[in-house]
């Protein structure tokens, strides 16, 4: 079907940077948008950033000015450049995509497995 594979997580010191990647593959006719979510232990899932098919972007208030979402259409990959990281950014970051698998089909939401980001000194 459709697979989303995240990479790029890890341990970083406060103030540091990381770049996450999410590569989509499988039966894809088009993608309406791709998103990054995050979930920290004991907290609700939070929308971090979104990029739509027209290239428009949206960010959660807590990451505005620090994170940048971008995409490579040829590689069907979305990136999340994270800068000025804070300990409160520690979470599992999960990629999602609203995918139309075949022409005239309804879109469906697909999810990756997630990648851990830990911000700590």
């Amino acid at each position: 079907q459709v697979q989303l594979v995240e990479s790029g997580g890890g341990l970083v010191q406060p103030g540091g940077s990381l770049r996450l990647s999410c590569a989509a593959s499988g039966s894809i006719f088009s993608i309406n948008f791709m998103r990054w979510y995050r979930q920290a232990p004991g907290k609700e899932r939070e929308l971090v950033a979104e990029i739509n098919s027209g290239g428009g972007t949206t960010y959660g208030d807590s990451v505005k000015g620090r994170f940048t979402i971008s995409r490579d259409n040829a590689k069907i990959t979305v990136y999340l450049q994270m800068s000025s990281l804070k300990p409160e950014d520690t979470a599992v970051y999960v990629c999602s995509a609203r995918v139309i698998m075949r022409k005239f089909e309804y879109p469906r939401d697909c999810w990756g497995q997630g990648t851990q980001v830990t911000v700590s000194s």
Side-chain angles (χ1 to χ4, degrees):
Q1 301 296 337
V2 175
Q3 296 80 38
L4 299 178
V5 179
E6 302 102 330
S7 61
L11 174 64
V12 62
Q13 292 187 343
S17 299
L18 276 178
R19 189 178 82 153
L20 306 182
S21 301
C22 172
S25 63
S27 179
I28 299 173
F29 175 76
S30 66
I31 296 178
N32 291 354
F33 56 75
M34 297 186 77
R35 291 174 171 169
W36 285 99
Y37 288 88
R38 68 185 182 186
Q39 187 161 20
K43 295 187 177 181
E44 291 187 356
R45 186 175 64 192
E46 175 187 10
L47 176 62
V48 176
E50 172 186 304
I51 186 164
N52 62 34
S53 58
T57 58
T58 304
Y59 296 93
D61 288 341
S62 62
V63 306
K64 284 180 181 176
R66 300 188 297 122
F67 291 10
T68 302
I69 190 170
S70 62
R71 66 184 188 185
D72 182 329
N73 289 334
K75 296 181 180 179
I76 321 179
T77 298
V78 65
Y79 305 98
L80 186 68
Q81 178 68 47
M82 305 185 293
S83 303
S84 302
L85 283 161
K86 306 174 182 179
E88 51 264 43
D89 294 318
T90 296
V92 175
Y93 285 70
V94 182
C95 173
S96 77
R98 183 156 291 175
V99 177
I100 298 174
M101 295 176 64
R102 298 173 188 83
K103 194 176 182 180
F104 304 123
E105 284 191 355
Y106 287 105
R108 63 182 69 189
D109 289 333
C110 302
W111 298 85
Q113 294 296 314
T115 185
Q116 176 69 45
V117 172
T118 302
V119 185
S120 175
S121 55

